[in-house]
Amino acid sequence: MQKPASPEPYGNPYIAGVLLGLTLLASFLTLGTGLGASGALARVGAFLEGLIVHTHTLSSAYFGKWGANPLSYYLCMMLVGVFLGGLFSATLSRRVHWGIEKGASASRSLRLILALSGGILAGFASRLAGGCTSGQALSGSALMLTGSLVFLIFLFAGGYAAAYFVRRQWDDSNILRP
């Protein structure tokens, strides 16, 4: 049996940052607005609800404003493109591995429950706040919005604070893969 090929090295983060900035600039110049993800996911939710209770969805104060086809929105296409582009890139660089990454002391079911709970909480909070991390950090900061800049500072501070408490859980030598 042949040993699997090692993955390609990661790309240069500075080049990736410049490319992301140019993508954001292109979005502002062509669409007149920035980037984000929560708007697209909310529209997917509206679409799915519309499949089940169409008239209720259209009369909803939240989902109804998007009309009968909520997926006809640029962020929905961007979301699909980001997913497919990331999958394509990861496949080319041999970084696609199926499995559940978790710390040594967490069970698979606990990891999945916590991931799902965190995703639901983050999604709810992003809709409550009127935008997700991408929209606030990228688009809001590019426009020099005070709220977005404050958000970005506290996002990194919160991330570093949380990492301090769980750093031993994610030691590379403890990650289990099937």
Side-chain angles (χ1 to χ4, degrees), residues 44-99:
V44 169
F47 173 76
L48 294 174
E49 182 181 295
L51 292 175
I52 300 166
V53 285
H54 186 69
T55 54
H56 171 72
T57 305
L58 287 176
S59 65
S60 164
Y62 185 74
F63 287 152
K65 62 185 174 195
W66 297 326
N69 189 7
L71 297 180
S72 62
Y73 184 58
Y74 81 101
L75 284 180
C76 295
M77 298 303 112
M78 185 202 74
L79 186 66
V80 171
V82 166
F83 175 77
L84 293 177
L87 181 62
F88 179 73
S89 173
T91 302
L92 281 182
S93 62
R94 296 183 297 275
R95 293 190 182 282
V96 176
H97 304 285
W98 296 104

Side-chain angles (χ1 to χ4, degrees), residues 6-176:
S6 62
E8 297 290 326
Y10 288 113
N12 184 318
Y14 298 108
I15 293 172
V18 168
L19 292 174
L20 181 59
L22 291 173
T23 302
L24 181 61
L25 177 63
S27 176
F28 277 119
L29 292 176
T30 59
L31 301 169
T33 187
L35 303 173
S38 64
L41 292 174
R43 286 171 177 265
V44 169
F47 173 76
L48 294 174
E49 182 181 295
L51 292 175
I52 300 166
V53 285
H54 186 69
T55 54
H56 171 72
T57 305
L58 287 176
S59 65
S60 164
Y62 185 74
F63 287 152
K65 62 185 174 195
W66 297 326
N69 189 7
L71 297 180
S72 62
Y73 184 58
Y74 81 101
L75 284 180
C76 295
M77 298 303 112
M78 185 202 74
L79 186 66
V80 171
V82 166
F83 175 77
L84 293 177
L87 181 62
F88 179 73
S89 173
T91 302
L92 281 182
S93 62
R94 296 183 297 275
R95 293 190 182 282
V96 176
H97 304 285
W98 296 104
I100 300 169
E101 292 188 1
K102 63 183 193 62
S105 64
S107 68
R108 290 175 185 258
S109 57
L110 176 64
R111 171 68 174 130
L112 293 175
I113 289 168
L114 290 175
L116 179 63
S117 301
I120 290 170
L121 182 63
F124 177 77
S126 71
R127 297 314 303 156
L128 187 64
C132 61
T133 310
S134 307
Q136 285 285 352
L138 291 174
S139 303
S141 295
L143 295 172
M144 301 298 288
L145 299 175
T146 305
S148 295
L149 295 172
V150 170
F151 167 79
L152 198 55
I153 291 168
F154 281 95
L155 174 75
F156 279 100
Y160 279 110
Y164 176 80
F165 293 106
V166 296
R167 70 183 185 281
R168 283 182 227 84
Q169 185 66 229
W170 289 98
D171 180 7
D172 284 343
S173 62
N174 292 332
I175 293 179
L176 304 175

